[in-house]
Amino acid sequence: MQRNLQFSLSTLLLAATAALAPAQARREICFPDLPGRVTLVCDFHMHSVFSDGQVWPTVRVDEAWRLGLDAIALTDHIEYQPHRDDVPTNHDRPYALARERALQRGILLPMGTEITRDTPPGHFNAIFLDSVVPLDTKDLFTTFEQANAQRAFTFWNHHDWKGEQRGSWLEVHTQLHERGLLHGMEVVNGSVYYPRAHQWCLDKGLTMIGNSDIHEPDRGEASTSAAHRSVTLVFAEERSLPALRDALFAGRTVVWFGNTLIGKREWLAPLFAASVRVDGPYLRTDKHVFVGLENTSDVDFVLAREGNVGPAALTLAAGTKTLVKIAVKDPKAALTLAYTATNLWIAPQQGMAVQIEIPGQ
Amino acid sequence: MQRNLQFSLSTLLLAATAALAPAQARREICFPDLPGRVTLVCDFHMHSVFSDGQVWPTVRVDEAWRLGLDAIALTDHIEYQPHRDDVPTNHDRPYALARERALQRGILLPMGTEITRDTPPGHFNAIFLDSVVPLDTKDLFTTFEQANAQRAFTFWNHHDWKGEQRGSWLEVHTQLHERGLLHGMEVVNGSVYYPRAHQWCLDKGLTMIGNSDIHEPDRGEASTSAAHRSVTLVFAEERSLPALRDALFAGRTVVWFGNTLIGKREWLAPLFAASVRVDGPYLRTDKHVFVGLENTSDVDFVLAREGNVGPAALTLAAGTKTLVKIAVKDPKAALTLAYTATNLWIAPQQGMAVQIEIPGQ
Amino acid sequence: MQRNLQFSLSTLLLAATAALAPAQARREICFPDLPGRVTLVCDFHMHSVFSDGQVWPTVRVDEAWRLGLDAIALTDHIEYQPHRDDVPTNHDRPYALARERALQRGILLPMGTEITRDTPPGHFNAIFLDSVVPLDTKDLFTTFEQANAQRAFTFWNHHDWKGEQRGSWLEVHTQLHERGLLHGMEVVNGSVYYPRAHQWCLDKGLTMIGNSDIHEPDRGEASTSAAHRSVTLVFAEERSLPALRDALFAGRTVVWFGNTLIGKREWLAPLFAASVRVDGPYLRTDKHVFVGLENTSDVDFVLAREGNVGPAALTLAAGTKTLVKIAVKDPKAALTLAYTATNLWIAPQQGMAVQIEIPGQ
Amino acid sequence: MQRNLQFSLSTLLLAATAALAPAQARREICFPDLPGRVTLVCDFHMHSVFSDGQVWPTVRVDEAWRLGLDAIALTDHIEYQPHRDDVPTNHDRPYALARERALQRGILLPMGTEITRDTPPGHFNAIFLDSVVPLDTKDLFTTFEQANAQRAFTFWNHHDWKGEQRGSWLEVHTQLHERGLLHGMEVVNGSVYYPRAHQWCLDKGLTMIGNSDIHEPDRGEASTSAAHRSVTLVFAEERSLPALRDALFAGRTVVWFGNTLIGKREWLAPLFAASVRVDGPYLRTDKHVFVGLENTSDVDFVLAREGNVGPAALTLAAGTKTLVKIAVKDPKAALTLAYTATNLWIAPQQGMAVQIEIPGQ
């Protein structure tokens, strides 16, 4: 009997040990790959003690591993360095300190920085740099030319922040865009969504980006909708820095913001299709068909019926299988569930039409 | 109006929050299928108000859906019916009440019962019955013959419970076994593991079974190791009642108990192999190789090193990828990590040798 | 060293054991007593297998203990008994089965029932009965007279459910009210709030009630806002059945619904005052005062500034202390924070003015 | 419009959800004050980027607020500064950077440092310094004399770490102790308990200390046993730095480690008594008394029966009320429950005798 007790103890012990959640454990964020593409979860905007952040650069790599991110960029401010008295300016140093740790974990780490000017013109990130130093100039256009000379991908951050002319597309932005120096915009920064930025990306062919802009330590653990970083899903040809850069220049992105996905139908449609799986039908009665709809992604799909088949509202929670009872006339016939996915936005606040096919008998 | 809107938002917030945990959502238990087999998660021992349980029979089906179980059996006591004054005895009724609901959800529901005698001989379950009624006899052997006449699968429950001769293999058990009337044993019942039952299964060729024996409502939600029902993993040729019965008679089972898996090496070895995936190596330095070990199952694998390669102790937590730093002499060579999986028991208290192969360059 | 290991093990073990949450553990719901009154958390509407519920009556008592409820009433339908074939009608039986278990736990258990008529007139509960049997009559007024003859407290349930005339105050309701046979209304039933019922309670002097109307097993554990039952807070002179009845007839109630409290200012104002405690000020600088605001209750207070002192919006989360930085002209002066508590409703969707006093130096 | 509204709801939902966990929310750790004393929860060992830590000094203050700590000391290494190339040595700077933030939150922040020598003699903390700079000397005794000249409280850290002579009490320690330069020892450092240090504290009159020694960001949120920092409970005459120092010199401490409290009976006994409250008895039958035992502290009390009254084993989980059924001969008599609290250690591995009095009728 004593032995028995010991067995139970060791079993319980494991649960306790697991509860301590070892530093090296990573929980993957779940979004399916698209046909011929690898889905990379990316955060291209964050800070360390080398500008106004509160953590050592390597902490950002540890967070990326733990949270299931595939690529991050450290983007300390060039012009704003409130810790300068204690941490002397050294633009390329955050990347240098974090690089080995990223390689050890297979985290893609393009070198980045934040170009930090009063508004207008505002703040911009440049990533995939060889060195930040040449960007530390007075003239904005020189800075952008230096970034582009390094083949960097650049985007306009949180355009609605701050100052009197915040939120406006001005002459300077037109010039940056027309001269091919600016390639994307943050549609989402942290907990804020920018509908105008969303529309401008559609109108001007800019790549949609979503980032955390995190300054504090990240206490998150779960990859669930409830509490995740705002990130960019990038559909790359392979898991590599060159492929990641190519995909950004090609605009192959979707932004994951709270429980909303924002992007072009071109990417959202196959992402939805690859995420939802029909199980069953389990039973066909005279009047009903019972089916399971499995959502393998980390976003809840919030669906509003467009046709007349299926429940009026339907939420497919992340990582679960939902039982659906469908009123039918012919239980043996194939069915098409036609819905609007209200939280997949193909334009500001505009949901996307989706269909789910239920096989017949 | 602004304020009114805020009010309704907080109200709607409620509804939305509630909607995130809909009654019909199922979270799958994660164990991989084996080559040529479907892994079915099964609980063959539970009670309803029709004996000494506290819930209506359909509740057990709802729980099974929510918790990710594939097959359950309602096994109300034949001889012990403390609610008889309010719920008159009706042996086949729990199954009849639950059947339609199980069909709607694709839950396999063999008809079952618990033969409830003083110890010795103790309690036994019979599942895959056509009717419980013929088993309600005085004579134990008649009861077992009736069960076997219906081609039922029978097993001895919690053999160490209760009375003076509890826990002993007696003449009556030898007779049941030798006459082919008894086919399995509970190695685990609820929170108790029985090492002697484990050994008898190995010695006598009985099928190893693990069940919840739940009487109260199940409040569980998670499928994680921390708090799951004791269940039996059955490796069936397909998801069907006949295939499930065949697999039980063939002894193709593993018991999931706390954070321990109990079974024959024949089934545990491929289950481990199919659960663990090597990612990387990410980096090879002069002295180290960095690799990710992903565990896609719902059990933490607790590994103790047998060879001299890899960390001395290694826990691969359920559903996570663990970063492992391996000291090496030749970073380009292929590596074999030789460990004992201390919580995969191929005999009482005895872990199983496992190997993980890391590719070379 | 071996010993050391054992120490850590036993420590960890405890955490694991605690995680299993023993059946007999109760977590109190936190709302302060009011001056001269005991705050009792009550749910007066729930079902068992004796009507259309899914659990044995004792389960409701176990739930009450675990969830921190002080009083419950089992209110099985008189007229609707879908389990009748298996559980023959026996109106007083659910109470009889649950009574001893309630006494053992100090749970107040008034005998109750649900009078279940087509709409109109709808459904009503009667609690504090001596026997349900006399209420099983055809004539609604006879039923109400029988209830009142037993000095029962009666209230109209979910008035907006169901049928063509649902949601209307009709002649029958006027008669019940004017003859003193009807004493309260559900302002909240489960996840639904009824603004019209709220207004009628104010206009007609009916007691405001909030209940769960639970039919399934309750899987809840936490007493936090995120997921609690809809309940009624009753301010009684002592913890006893007579005092509870007196308080209900006197209308001393507040309904806890999601993260909203609904009631008269007479009760909400002292409840807020007794829940919020000022800690500090910690620091007074030239321009700011830093203070901690502790909310000891289980509801988050969501505050919108009415004056010009303090942050524009302020949420005092349940069970936490919130750091507040207040811009001031004179850091030594006493301050009054004037806010509207947007989730304390003194009329439909109407928040309540509150003040928090910060002492001067 | 309807659809637009739904969109903004889901967006606002996000904001609302985020608002539920605001950065400035603090959850108090629950241990009662003792008669005439204030119980302060303290962590006197932690690091920032100014030595080998990974966070900016202010992060430690934010963590203290959030986690419910009352006092912390930043104790960056004097001799070990691996970030020196990027963060030049400046011993008094971490304190200077964190001080204002601590004042704003009412967190007591004695200035501290870690004296970091090879073993022997090992590492030591000095707290309540005026300046760290004078301690940066070659000679260990000079360093200790400088600390004591500033009236600092000093203690030996993790004595079992590291080197050949680790874990030994040597001549140097005798000298430090006999000359009154050393005042306490870490009985607990992070996840490790030191039984020898525990015994030495008892034998030599050293103050028992428990600390986190945290280097990484603290991701914790809960104050529950499952996952809290190792800390020291200090019983001070008031919430102030001088009173905190006095209490440390007077040895008025208990260490909270996992689910274990370690200290002298003098402090553990009143702490237990103030934490446990008897509710009831609810019911007295012929053979049993039913009572609720409420544990208002954040530690689970794990009790083993010494007498013959009450259950053999009894766990009073943190923050809950446990239902206890006591077999009695005379249900009206007063009862004494005599137990050993197995996780209140008054010496290495030695539990403490406790009694709980149940009133008679």
Side-chain angles (χ1 to χ4, degrees):
Chain A
M1 284 314 292
Q2 184 64 14
R3 232 170 218 182
N4 241 350
L5 181 61
Q6 284 182 327
F7 293 149
S8 312
L9 293 191
S10 71
T11 307
L12 284 167
L13 189 72
L14 287 175
T17 312
L20 295 180
Q24 74 272 21
R26 167 185 175 95
R27 191 167 293 273
E28 294 292 336
I29 290 173
C30 298
F31 285 102
D33 290 336
L34 303 190
R37 313 280 188 199
V38 179
T39 299
L40 301 175
V41 185
C42 309
D43 182 2
F44 298 126
H45 193 167
M46 62 191 66
H47 297 273
S48 79
V49 295
F50 281 81
S51 63
D52 58 345
Q54 300 179 12
V55 299
W56 199 246
T58 51
V59 170
R60 296 303 179 203
V61 178
D62 292 349
E63 291 172 349
W65 175 261
R66 190 177 77 236
L67 298 173
L69 303 178
D70 297 300
I72 60 169
L74 286 159
T75 54
D76 281 306
H77 300 285
I78 294 177
E79 297 87 349
Y80 180 59
Q81 308 233 329
H83 299 160
R84 196 174 305 183
D85 290 349
D86 298 293
V87 187
T89 296
N90 190 344
H91 291 314
D92 289 352
R93 188 68 176 150
Y95 173 82
L97 285 167
R99 186 170 176 273
E100 172 88 3
R101 204 165 182 91
L103 289 173
Q104 291 170 355
R105 283 153 185 75
I107 306 288
L108 299 175
L109 184 78
M111 186 191 280
T113 195
E114 183 163 12
I115 303 159
T116 310
R117 305 296 170 100
D118 288 343
T119 308
H123 297 193
F124 304 84
N125 276 6
I127 57 177
F128 296 96
L129 291 167
D130 302 313
S131 171
V132 177
V133 178
L135 278 66
D136 191 354
T137 69
K138 287 267 176 194
D139 181 64
L140 183 75
F141 285 91
T142 307
T143 297
F144 267 85
E145 282 157 7
Q146 287 290 347
N148 277 265
Q150 295 183 33
R151 301 188 52 225
F153 179 82
T154 66
F155 54 91
W156 186 5
N157 300 336
H158 44 69
H159 79 100
D160 202 30
W161 191 91
K162 82 186 198 184
E164 265 190 32
Q165 288 187 281
R166 68 195 177 88
S168 300
W169 182 282
L170 301 168
E171 178 56 26
V172 60
H173 305 114
T174 299
Q175 281 189 36
L176 287 170
H177 181 228
E178 291 189 349
R179 289 168 59 185
L181 299 172
L182 180 67
H183 319 117
M185 286 197 78
E186 281 188 349
V187 169
V188 166
N189 177 286
S191 61
V192 183
Y193 161 68
Y194 302 108
R196 266 182 302 179
H198 190 178
Q199 192 61 53
W200 289 336
C201 284
L202 293 171
D203 295 345
K204 299 171 196 289
L206 292 163
T207 298
M208 298 182 204
I209 302 287
N211 292 319
S212 72
D213 199 2
I214 191 165
H215 288 68
E216 305 183 1
D218 191 322
R219 296 190 279 124
E221 203 153 354
S223 64
T224 56
S225 301
H228 68 86
R229 285 196 192 179
S230 293
V231 292
T232 309
L233 309 183
V234 182
F235 309 106
E237 299 208 350
E238 60 172 33
R239 179 181 298 266
S240 73
L241 283 169
L244 178 59
R245 173 156 55 182
D246 287 351
L248 286 170
F249 274 104
R252 297 199 299 266
T253 66
V254 159
V255 172
W256 186 29
F257 168 64
N259 194 47
T260 298
L261 292 174
I262 302 164
K264 294 189 206 164
R265 183 195 300 272
E266 185 179 358
W267 311 115
L268 283 173
L271 195 64
F272 179 84
S275 298
V276 174
R277 199 179 68 81
V278 175
D279 192 36
Y282 303 125
L283 184 68
R284 301 173 193 268
T285 67
D286 283 356
K287 295 190 174 171
H288 292 99
V289 166
F290 293 83
V291 70
L293 298 182
E294 186 163 18
N295 173 8
T296 62
S297 83
D298 268 345
V299 75
D300 300 336
F301 293 116
V302 183
L303 308 180
R305 189 181 60 202
E306 292 301 331
N308 55 7
V309 183
L314 185 54
T315 294
L316 307 180
T320 71
K321 191 183 283 183
T322 302
L323 181 70
V324 183
K325 179 182 181 178
I326 308 168
V328 294
K329 288 184 180 161
D330 173 5
K332 297 191 176 180
L335 301 170
T336 297
L337 305 179
Y339 281 79
T340 293
T342 63
N343 63 328
L344 305 192
W345 292 354
I346 53 174
Q349 303 179 357
Q350 187 186 328
M352 182 178 76
V354 297
Q355 294 194 339
I356 300 169
E357 306 295 338
I358 312 293
Q361 197 169 27
Chain B
M1 281 314 291
Q2 184 64 14
R3 188 155 285 164
N4 264 348
L5 180 61
Q6 286 182 323
F7 292 149
S8 41
L9 290 191
S10 71
T11 307
L12 281 157
L13 193 75
L14 239 198
T17 310
L20 293 182
Q24 74 271 23
R26 167 185 176 92
R27 192 168 292 273
E28 294 292 336
I29 290 174
C30 297
F31 286 102
D33 289 338
L34 302 191
R37 313 280 187 199
V38 178
T39 299
L40 300 175
V41 185
C42 309
D43 182 3
F44 298 127
H45 192 166
M46 64 191 66
H47 297 272
S48 79
V49 295
F50 282 81
S51 64
D52 57 346
Q54 301 179 13
V55 299
W56 198 247
T58 51
V59 170
R60 298 301 179 203
V61 178
D62 292 349
E63 291 172 349
W65 174 261
R66 191 177 78 237
L67 299 174
L69 303 177
D70 297 300
I72 61 169
L74 286 159
T75 54
D76 280 308
H77 300 285
I78 294 177
E79 298 86 349
Y80 179 60
Q81 307 233 330
H83 299 159
R84 196 174 304 184
D85 289 349
D86 299 293
V87 187
T89 296
N90 190 343
H91 293 313
D92 289 352
R93 187 68 175 150
Y95 172 82
L97 286 167
R99 185 171 176 274
E100 172 87 2
R101 204 164 182 92
L103 288 173
Q104 290 170 356
R105 283 151 185 77
I107 306 287
L108 299 175
L109 183 79
M111 185 192 279
T113 196
E114 184 164 10
I115 304 159
T116 310
R117 305 296 170 102
D118 288 342
T119 306
H123 297 193
F124 304 84
N125 276 8
I127 57 176
F128 295 97
L129 292 165
D130 302 314
S131 170
V132 177
V133 178
L135 278 65
D136 192 355
T137 69
K138 287 266 177 194
D139 181 63
L140 182 75
F141 285 90
T142 308
T143 297
F144 267 85
E145 282 156 6
Q146 288 290 346
N148 277 268
Q150 295 183 34
R151 300 189 52 226
F153 178 84
T154 66
F155 52 92
W156 185 4
N157 299 337
H158 43 71
H159 79 101
D160 201 31
W161 190 93
K162 80 187 199 183
E164 265 189 33
Q165 288 186 279
R166 68 194 177 90
S168 301
W169 183 282
L170 302 168
E171 178 57 25
V172 59
H173 305 115
T174 298
Q175 281 188 37
L176 288 170
H177 181 228
E178 290 187 351
R179 289 167 60 184
L181 298 172
L182 180 66
H183 318 116
M185 285 197 79
E186 281 188 348
V187 170
V188 166
N189 176 286
S191 60
V192 184
Y193 162 69
Y194 302 108
R196 266 180 302 183
H198 189 177
Q199 190 61 52
W200 289 337
C201 284
L202 292 170
D203 294 346
K204 299 171 195 287
L206 292 163
T207 298
M208 297 182 205
I209 302 287
N211 292 319
S212 72
D213 198 2
I214 190 165
H215 288 67
E216 304 183 2
D218 192 323
R219 296 191 278 124
E221 201 153 354
S223 64
T224 56
S225 301
H228 67 86
R229 284 195 192 179
S230 293
V231 292
T232 309
L233 309 184
V234 182
F235 309 106
E237 298 206 353
E238 60 172 34
R239 179 183 296 268
S240 74
L241 284 169
L244 178 59
R245 172 155 58 180
D246 288 351
L248 287 170
F249 274 104
R252 295 198 300 265
T253 64
V254 158
V255 173
W256 185 29
F257 168 62
N259 195 48
T260 298
L261 292 175
I262 301 163
K264 293 188 206 165
R265 183 195 298 273
E266 184 179 358
W267 311 115
L268 284 174
L271 195 63
F272 178 83
S275 297
V276 174
R277 198 179 69 81
V278 176
D279 192 35
Y282 303 126
L283 184 67
R284 301 174 194 266
T285 66
D286 283 356
K287 296 190 174 169
H288 292 98
V289 166
F290 293 84
V291 69
L293 298 182
E294 186 163 18
N295 173 7
T296 61
S297 83
D298 268 345
V299 75
D300 301 335
F301 294 116
V302 184
L303 309 179
R305 191 181 59 203
E306 293 301 331
N308 54 7
V309 183
L314 186 55
T315 294
L316 307 181
T320 71
K321 190 184 284 182
T322 302
L323 182 69
V324 183
K325 179 183 181 179
I326 307 169
V328 294
K329 288 185 180 160
D330 173 5
K332 297 190 175 178
L335 300 170
T336 297
L337 304 180
Y339 282 79
T340 293
T342 62
N343 62 327
L344 305 192
W345 292 352
I346 53 175
Q349 299 184 68
Q350 187 185 327
M352 182 179 75
V354 297
Q355 294 195 339
I356 301 170
E357 306 295 339
I358 312 293
Q361 198 169 24
Chain C
M1 285 315 292
Q2 184 63 14
R3 236 172 213 178
N4 240 350
L5 181 62
Q6 285 183 326
F7 293 149
S8 313
L9 293 190
S10 71
T11 307
L12 284 167
L13 190 72
L14 288 173
T17 312
L20 295 180
Q24 74 271 22
R26 168 185 174 94
R27 192 167 292 273
E28 294 292 337
I29 289 174
C30 297
F31 285 102
D33 289 337
L34 303 190
R37 313 279 188 199
V38 179
T39 299
L40 301 175
V41 185
C42 309
D43 182 3
F44 299 126
H45 193 165
M46 64 191 66
H47 296 273
S48 78
V49 295
F50 282 80
S51 63
D52 57 345
Q54 301 179 11
V55 299
W56 198 247
T58 52
V59 170
R60 298 301 179 204
V61 178
D62 292 348
E63 291 172 349
W65 174 261
R66 190 177 77 237
L67 298 174
L69 303 177
D70 298 300
I72 60 168
L74 286 159
T75 54
D76 280 307
H77 301 285
I78 295 177
E79 297 86 349
Y80 180 60
Q81 308 232 329
H83 299 160
R84 196 174 303 184
D85 290 348
D86 299 292
V87 187
T89 295
N90 190 343
H91 292 313
D92 289 351
R93 187 68 175 150
Y95 172 81
L97 286 167
R99 186 171 175 273
E100 172 88 2
R101 203 163 182 92
L103 288 173
Q104 291 170 356
R105 283 152 185 75
I107 306 287
L108 299 175
L109 184 77
M111 185 191 280
T113 195
E114 183 163 12
I115 303 158
T116 310
R117 305 295 171 104
D118 286 342
T119 307
H123 296 194
F124 305 84
N125 276 7
I127 57 176
F128 296 96
L129 292 166
D130 302 314
S131 171
V132 177
V133 178
L135 279 65
D136 191 355
T137 69
K138 288 265 178 195
D139 180 63
L140 182 75
F141 285 91
T142 308
T143 297
F144 267 85
E145 282 155 7
Q146 287 291 346
N148 277 267
Q150 295 183 35
R151 302 189 49 228
F153 178 83
T154 65
F155 54 91
W156 186 4
N157 299 337
H158 43 71
H159 79 101
D160 201 30
W161 190 94
K162 79 188 201 183
E164 265 190 33
Q165 288 186 281
R166 68 194 177 89
S168 300
W169 183 281
L170 301 167
E171 178 56 27
V172 60
H173 305 117
T174 298
Q175 281 189 37
L176 287 170
H177 181 228
E178 290 188 349
R179 288 168 59 183
L181 298 172
L182 180 66
H183 318 117
M185 285 197 78
E186 281 188 347
V187 170
V188 166
N189 177 285
S191 61
V192 183
Y193 161 69
Y194 301 107
R196 266 181 301 181
H198 189 178
Q199 191 60 53
W200 290 336
C201 284
L202 293 170
D203 295 345
K204 299 171 195 290
L206 291 164
T207 298
M208 297 182 205
I209 302 287
N211 292 319
S212 72
D213 198 2
I214 190 165
H215 287 67
E216 304 184 1
D218 192 323
R219 295 191 280 125
E221 200 153 355
S223 65
T224 56
S225 302
H228 67 85
R229 283 196 193 179
S230 294
V231 292
T232 309
L233 309 184
V234 183
F235 310 105
E237 299 206 352
E238 59 172 35
R239 178 183 297 268
S240 74
L241 283 169
L244 177 59
R245 172 155 57 182
D246 287 351
L248 286 170
F249 274 104
R252 296 199 298 266
T253 65
V254 159
V255 172
W256 185 29
F257 168 63
N259 194 48
T260 298
L261 293 174
I262 302 164
K264 293 189 205 165
R265 182 194 300 272
E266 185 179 359
W267 311 115
L268 282 175
L271 195 64
F272 179 83
S275 298
V276 175
R277 198 180 69 80
V278 176
D279 191 36
Y282 303 125
L283 183 69
R284 300 174 195 268
T285 67
D286 283 357
K287 296 190 172 168
H288 292 99
V289 166
F290 294 82
V291 70
L293 298 182
E294 186 163 17
N295 173 8
T296 61
S297 83
D298 268 344
V299 75
D300 300 335
F301 294 118
V302 183
L303 308 179
R305 191 181 61 203
E306 292 300 332
N308 55 7
V309 183
L314 185 56
T315 294
L316 307 181
T320 71
K321 191 182 284 181
T322 302
L323 182 69
V324 183
K325 179 182 181 179
I326 308 169
V328 294
K329 288 185 180 159
D330 174 4
K332 298 191 175 179
L335 301 170
T336 297
L337 305 180
Y339 281 79
T340 293
T342 62
N343 63 327
L344 305 192
W345 293 353
I346 53 176
Q349 303 179 357
Q350 187 185 328
M352 182 177 77
V354 297
Q355 294 194 340
I356 301 170
E357 306 295 338
I358 312 293
Q361 195 169 27
Chain D
M1 279 317 290
Q2 184 63 14
R3 188 154 287 164
N4 264 348
L5 180 62
Q6 285 182 324
F7 292 146
S8 43
L9 291 189
S10 71
T11 307
L12 281 156
L13 194 75
L14 240 197
T17 309
L20 293 182
Q24 74 273 22
R26 168 186 174 95
R27 191 166 292 273
E28 295 292 336
I29 289 173
C30 296
F31 286 102
D33 290 337
L34 303 190
R37 313 279 187 200
V38 179
T39 299
L40 301 176
V41 185
C42 309
D43 183 2
F44 298 127
H45 193 164
M46 63 191 65
H47 296 273
S48 79
V49 295
F50 281 81
S51 62
D52 57 344
Q54 300 180 11
V55 300
W56 199 245
T58 51
V59 169
R60 297 301 178 203
V61 178
D62 292 350
E63 290 172 349
W65 174 261
R66 189 178 79 236
L67 298 173
L69 303 177
D70 298 299
I72 60 168
L74 286 159
T75 53
D76 280 307
H77 300 286
I78 294 177
E79 298 86 349
Y80 180 59
Q81 307 233 329
H83 299 159
R84 197 174 302 183
D85 290 348
D86 299 293
V87 187
T89 296
N90 190 343
H91 291 315
D92 289 352
R93 188 68 175 150
Y95 172 81
L97 286 167
R99 185 170 177 273
E100 173 87 3
R101 204 164 182 94
L103 288 173
Q104 291 170 355
R105 282 151 185 76
I107 305 288
L108 299 175
L109 184 78
M111 185 193 279
T113 195
E114 184 163 12
I115 303 159
T116 311
R117 305 296 169 103
D118 287 342
T119 307
H123 297 194
F124 305 85
N125 276 6
I127 58 176
F128 296 97
L129 292 166
D130 302 314
S131 171
V132 177
V133 177
L135 278 66
D136 191 354
T137 69
K138 289 265 175 193
D139 181 64
L140 182 75
F141 284 91
T142 307
T143 297
F144 267 85
E145 283 156 8
Q146 287 291 346
N148 277 267
Q150 295 183 34
R151 301 187 52 225
F153 178 82
T154 65
F155 53 92
W156 186 4
N157 299 336
H158 44 68
H159 79 100
D160 202 29
W161 190 92
K162 77 188 201 185
E164 267 190 29
Q165 288 186 281
R166 67 197 178 88
S168 301
W169 182 282
L170 301 168
E171 177 56 27
V172 59
H173 305 115
T174 299
Q175 281 190 37
L176 287 170
H177 181 229
E178 290 188 349
R179 289 168 60 182
L181 298 173
L182 180 66
H183 318 118
M185 285 197 79
E186 282 187 348
V187 169
V188 165
N189 177 286
S191 61
V192 183
Y193 162 67
Y194 301 108
R196 267 180 301 179
H198 190 179
Q199 191 61 53
W200 289 336
C201 285
L202 293 170
D203 294 346
K204 297 171 197 290
L206 291 164
T207 298
M208 297 181 206
I209 302 289
N211 291 319
S212 72
D213 198 3
I214 190 166
H215 288 68
E216 303 184 2
D218 191 323
R219 296 190 279 125
E221 201 152 354
S223 65
T224 55
S225 301
H228 68 84
R229 282 195 195 181
S230 293
V231 292
T232 309
L233 309 183
V234 182
F235 309 107
E237 298 206 352
E238 59 172 35
R239 179 183 297 267
S240 74
L241 283 169
L244 177 59
R245 172 155 58 181
D246 288 351
L248 287 171
F249 273 105
R252 296 198 299 266
T253 63
V254 159
V255 172
W256 186 30
F257 169 64
N259 195 48
T260 298
L261 293 174
I262 301 164
K264 294 190 206 164
R265 182 195 300 272
E266 184 179 359
W267 310 116
L268 283 174
L271 195 64
F272 178 83
S275 298
V276 174
R277 198 179 70 80
V278 175
D279 192 37
Y282 303 125
L283 184 68
R284 300 174 195 268
T285 67
D286 283 357
K287 296 191 173 169
H288 292 98
V289 167
F290 294 83
V291 69
L293 298 183
E294 186 163 18
N295 172 8
T296 61
S297 83
D298 268 344
V299 74
D300 301 336
F301 294 118
V302 183
L303 308 180
R305 190 181 61 202
E306 292 301 330
N308 55 7
V309 183
L314 186 54
T315 294
L316 307 180
T320 71
K321 190 183 283 181
T322 302
L323 182 70
V324 183
K325 178 182 181 179
I326 308 169
V328 294
K329 288 184 178 161
D330 174 5
K332 297 191 175 179
L335 301 170
T336 297
L337 305 180
Y339 281 80
T340 292
T342 62
N343 62 327
L344 305 191
W345 292 352
I346 53 175
Q349 299 184 68
Q350 187 185 328
M352 184 178 75
V354 298
Q355 294 194 340
I356 301 169
E357 306 294 338
I358 312 293
Q361 196 169 27

